[in-house]
Amino acid sequence: MKLNHLFATALATTGMMSVVVSISPKALSQNVIAETVSKSQSALDVMTGDSDEGTFTNLINAYAVAWSSEDGTLDVDAVRVLYAEDPDLVFYDAILPERFVGFEDMRQSGEELFANLKMMKLTPTGDLDIRRYGDDLAWTTTVMNLDAQTNDGKKIAFPMRQTAIWQRRGSSWTMIHEHVSAPIGTGTSNSENRE
């Protein structure tokens, strides 16, 4: 089982997988984002706003929907539209092996993680920070609440921090690097304890 240190303890004693996402009032509705993301065509062409804030809020909300599951399965097509598929790009995550080279490497580990989950939900907290570098490069940082349940019923909840580097390719933005982490000591808390 290739799981991050964050999940290892929690998943060792439970089974968890399935994700549902809540979206802030500032963003598009969950249904609109889910429909847009689920289309394997260039969904990122559609997910643009009138401003950087609108564009990247939509992208982060789409990310939360794509990585959430109510039935313990990863919707690879929804995730794929967010990431560049260059085979040499590096992504860091909170699941082992923590370093992924290329989208396919990350997808495989994501599917292994979801196989141990009954549900998982990512909820953006609304603290998105956006930094633009020219017309075609952007850096975003945000925090999302992660709530999950393992297949054996154990609940896991913690704040997940995400840093992403986005590149505009044509008229759409795609993630070319990501780093996901959580504060030390989190990952096994009960979601009922968080207000």
Side-chain angles (χ1 to χ4, degrees):
M1 176 164 61
K2 292 181 179 180
L3 299 177
N4 174 319
H5 303 298
L6 222 44
F7 292 108
T9 303
L11 292 179
T13 57
T14 64
M16 153 179 166
M17 200 54 191
S18 183
V19 180
V20 176
V21 170
S22 298
I23 295 174
S24 70
K26 292 170 51 177
L28 292 176
S29 74
Q30 180 178 347
N31 291 338
V32 170
I33 292 172
E35 288 173 18
T36 302
V37 172
S38 68
K39 296 177 182 170
S40 61
Q41 63 183 352
S42 184
L44 296 183
D45 289 329
V46 178
M47 293 185 301
T48 58
D50 295 333
S51 66
D52 282 350
E53 182 177 357
T55 297
F56 290 101
T57 296
N58 292 345
L59 288 169
I60 294 301
N61 287 333
Y63 173 95
V65 169
W67 281 104
S68 295
S69 173
E70 295 178 4
D71 64 2
T73 59
L74 178 63
D75 184 346
V76 174
D77 290 334
V79 171
R80 185 180 308 276
V81 298
L82 297 166
Y83 292 86
E85 294 195 54
D86 306 30
D88 59 341
L89 293 176
V90 176
F91 303 94
Y92 292 103
D93 204 337
I95 59 174
L96 290 175
E98 296 177 358
R99 181 180 188 267
F100 306 99
V101 180
F103 176 80
E104 287 304 312
D105 189 24
M106 181 176 58
R107 177 203 53 78
Q108 180 181 353
S109 290
E111 288 179 336
E112 290 174 12
L113 169 67
F114 273 71
N116 294 294
L117 298 175
K118 184 176 180 182
M119 66 76 61
M120 186 169 85
K121 175 183 177 180
L122 293 180
T123 306
T125 62
D127 67 346
L128 178 62
D129 184 56
I130 305 155
R131 305 293 168 135
R132 284 288 296 275
Y133 298 92
D135 293 335
D136 299 327
L137 199 61
W139 170 16
T140 60
T141 57
T142 193
V143 175
M144 298 182 203
N145 291 324
L146 183 146
D147 291 288
Q149 186 175 13
T150 62
N151 288 331
D152 66 0
K154 178 158 183 153
K155 293 181 179 180
I156 299 172
F158 58 85
M160 182 190 93
R161 302 173 293 196
Q162 187 221 33
T163 299
I165 299 174
W166 302 85
Q167 183 178 45
R168 188 194 306 264
R169 294 185 175 181
S171 62
S172 60
W173 288 95
T174 188
M175 198 182 312
I176 60 171
H177 178 74
E178 174 182 33
H179 191 125
V180 174
S181 65
I184 293 174
T186 61
T188 59
S189 63
N190 188 319
S191 62
E192 295 172 359
N193 295 332
R194 185 173 27 143
E195 298 291 339

